[in-house]
Amino acid sequence: EPIPKIGTFDINLRPTYYRQGIINPGQDASKLLGEHNKELTVMFSDGMPPVRTSITRNANRNGAVRLVGSGPVIAAWFK
């Protein structure tokens, strides 16, 4: 069964992204995403297999989502 697509977003890569594989999609994208500690699937545009990650809303002062939990896989993809 296909995974439903709820939206897309662009991110500006920073050095931490390459090291830790975190994703901060920003406040606009955060409105489309789930609650703190919920899991979601990250889909890549180049055909890389999807990865499961978790939402944290307490890492950013403004409550915006940070995606964590699949760091090594995502960091390697960023590189």
Side-chain angles (χ1 to χ4, degrees):
E1 178 175 314
I3 299 170
K5 181 177 175 180
I6 63 166
T8 61
F9 57 88
D10 295 320
I11 57 170
N12 293 319
L13 296 177
R14 309 219 185 269
T16 304
Y17 289 39
Y18 293 102
R19 288 191 310 271
Q20 298 179 2
I22 61 170
I23 301 173
N24 289 308
Q27 285 191 295
D28 289 340
S30 293
K31 297 171 189 172
L32 300 172
L33 302 172
E35 299 172 19
H36 181 72
N37 287 333
K38 294 292 182 178
E39 289 189 354
L40 59 87
T41 301
V42 175
M43 307 290 288
F44 298 93
S45 60
D46 65 355
M48 179 178 159
V51 295
R52 298 290 293 168
T53 188
S54 297
I55 293 171
T56 181
R57 287 186 176 269
N58 60 12
N60 294 308
R61 289 185 207 146
N62 62 6
V65 164
R66 175 176 287 172
L67 305 178
V68 298
S70 293
V73 175
I74 293 172
W77 184 78
F78 285 151
K79 291 174 188 172

